[in-house]
Amino acid sequence: MATKKPATPNVSADELLNHYREMLLIRRFEEKAGQLYGMGLIGGFCHLYIGQEAVVVGLEAAAKEGDKRITSYRDHGHMLACGMDPKGVMAELTGREGGYSRGKGGSMHMFSKEKHFYGGHGIVAAQVPLGAGLAFADKYNGNDNVTFIYFGDGAANQGQVYETYNMAELWQLPAVFVIENNQYAMGTSTQRSTKSPSYFARGQAYGIAGEEVDGMDVLAVKAAGEKAVAHCRADKGPYILEVKTYRYRGHSMSDPAKYRTREEVQKMRDERDPIEQIRDMLLTGKHASEDELKAVDKEIKAIVNEAAEFSKESPEPHVDELWTDIYASEDV
């Protein structure tokens, strides 16, 4: 019997180019953040998203205005994908006044009320029950907004995740639980740490629908995201997406990643890179020329360099900034 080939994605040239631009912006931004960290301009922890760009770009393509997102401390890509200004993000990484949290949050803790981005959380899996709270607010208000709750394969073994699953299904919350399974958590492979590595299937115990997705394919992620949000908007309760992805760098900038071989990482770069896949589709489909894509890359590099310069020129926050935003304002 002949193997059935997957259907060609119904996607326009403009959509392909937009996915390419968004993923390339995250890649170049993170590369620049790594440079600034090495120069001592970014302090503390810094967790880069290089290799995982297709996850958040694909899911943001399935989102609408009003949808919320909350994630872990590997969060720069999520900020950029939901439309936050690279200047404000980079300035926050460097702890400057021009940052989204005015220099108080750093890499792991920044927010944007305008973009419905609720962090950036440093405690493993802490964002999961908080995300359920965001989804509960939308359920209570009777709108059709969805909350994307991102967490990793390491966090997927935390007890509070399953307490949240139970509440989310019990109350039929419009929450898309996104497990960004980059297969190594903080440094231990899923084969060594997890007896039941099919994370999405754990939701079956609570009656939560879900599926596994190729997280290196932005179009596959978008299609799965559209299915998940349709499920939630139809008041059918939560949905779990286990997105199989891969980070090229260590867990953080201080991690030499000796738990895997260079050959393994290079193989993923050569054969499965999400940006190169879309680039090939653009070129082979004659949707863009080499020169046009080079121009896009040049434009993105200029945006990132401008963000880096802005962050260097932005002043250190005044000491009085310590006492702002402790309590919610009356207009929240």
Side-chain angles (χ1 to χ4, degrees):
M1 181 182 292
T3 302
K4 185 179 179 181
K5 293 183 179 180
T8 302
N10 183 20
V11 59
S12 69
D14 286 344
E15 287 176 297
L16 282 177
L17 190 58
N18 187 60
H19 296 332
Y20 179 77
R21 287 175 56 89
E22 292 295 312
M23 289 193 291
L24 193 61
L25 173 62
I26 295 171
R27 178 72 59 88
R28 297 291 180 253
F29 183 96
E30 293 291 64
E31 289 169 349
K32 179 62 72 173
Q35 292 175 10
L36 296 183
Y37 186 92
M39 295 165 62
L41 295 174
I42 296 176
F45 293 100
C46 186
H47 306 82
L48 302 182
Y49 203 61
I50 296 173
Q52 298 185 212
E53 298 90 352
V55 179
V56 71
V57 170
L59 289 176
E60 283 294 337
K64 71 171 183 64
E65 175 58 35
D67 288 343
K68 301 177 178 67
R69 61 280 296 158
I70 188 169
T71 188
S72 68
Y73 41 78
R74 195 180 306 279
D75 52 4
H76 314 155
H78 302 73
M79 300 171 195
L80 297 173
C82 74
M84 291 170 67
D85 188 343
K87 292 180 182 178
V89 177
M90 194 69 85
E92 188 61 40
L93 297 188
T94 55
R96 303 304 178 96
E97 192 176 87
Y100 268 96
S101 295
R102 293 191 286 280
K104 296 186 293 186
S107 172
M108 300 165 68
H109 306 287
M110 61 183 104
F111 302 80
S112 173
K113 180 182 175 184
E114 177 190 4
K115 298 298 182 181
H116 310 291
F117 181 83
Y118 292 90
H121 291 269
I123 304 300
V124 175
Q127 72 275 17
V128 179
L130 293 175
L134 294 170
F136 180 83
D138 286 324
K139 178 82 173 184
Y140 183 84
N141 288 323
N143 57 49
D144 69 343
N145 294 336
V146 168
T147 297
F148 294 89
I149 305 171
Y150 294 88
F151 56 104
D153 48 296
N157 288 322
Q158 288 273 335
Q160 59 190 314
V161 171
Y162 302 96
E163 294 172 0
T164 304
Y165 282 175
N166 183 58
M167 289 189 293
E169 179 62 22
L170 182 65
W171 297 336
Q172 293 287 281
L173 300 183
V176 179
F177 295 100
V178 184
I179 305 170
E180 296 196 73
N181 183 359
N182 63 32
Q183 303 167 60
Y184 281 97
M186 284 186 68
T188 303
S189 70
T190 53
Q191 287 81 5
R192 292 183 58 212
S193 66
T194 306
K195 186 63 177 177
S196 54
S198 184
Y199 294 106
F200 83 92
R202 299 179 185 181
Q204 295 172 3
Y206 305 90
I208 303 178
E211 61 184 292
E212 183 181 291
V213 188
D214 180 2
M216 305 302 278
D217 181 344
V218 69
L219 300 182
V221 176
K222 179 187 176 185
E226 290 172 340
K227 180 179 177 181
V229 298
H231 177 96
C232 292
R233 297 196 209 285
D235 202 25
K236 295 181 180 179
Y239 200 92
I240 300 174
L241 292 177
E242 179 185 348
V243 190
K244 298 291 285 292
T245 184
Y246 196 88
R247 56 175 166 79
Y248 297 160
R249 301 288 185 92
H251 173 69
S252 69
M253 288 296 294
S254 60
D255 174 18
K258 293 182 179 180
Y259 40 80
R260 58 186 181 181
T261 65
R262 291 182 179 179
E263 290 75 18
E264 177 187 309
V265 178
Q266 192 59 49
K267 182 177 174 65
M268 288 295 292
R269 280 184 175 272
D270 292 342
E271 299 178 7
R272 302 284 291 121
D273 187 80
I275 299 176
E276 287 301 314
Q277 288 186 57
I278 294 298
R279 188 177 189 279
D280 288 344
M281 289 182 69
L282 286 165
L283 291 173
T284 57
K286 300 188 184 303
H287 303 305
S289 66
E290 285 278 5
D291 287 342
E292 288 171 328
L293 294 185
K294 286 180 181 178
V296 171
D297 196 9
K298 183 178 180 181
E299 178 190 353
I300 294 298
K301 285 180 178 177
I303 291 171
V304 171
N305 286 335
E306 186 179 6
E309 289 306 310
F310 175 82
S311 70
K312 294 175 186 177
E313 295 170 2
S314 182
E316 297 278 350
H318 191 274
V319 66
D320 290 345
E321 191 61 51
L322 286 170
W323 313 112
T324 63
D325 299 322
I326 296 174
Y327 302 104
S329 62
E330 293 181 358
D331 63 344
V332 171

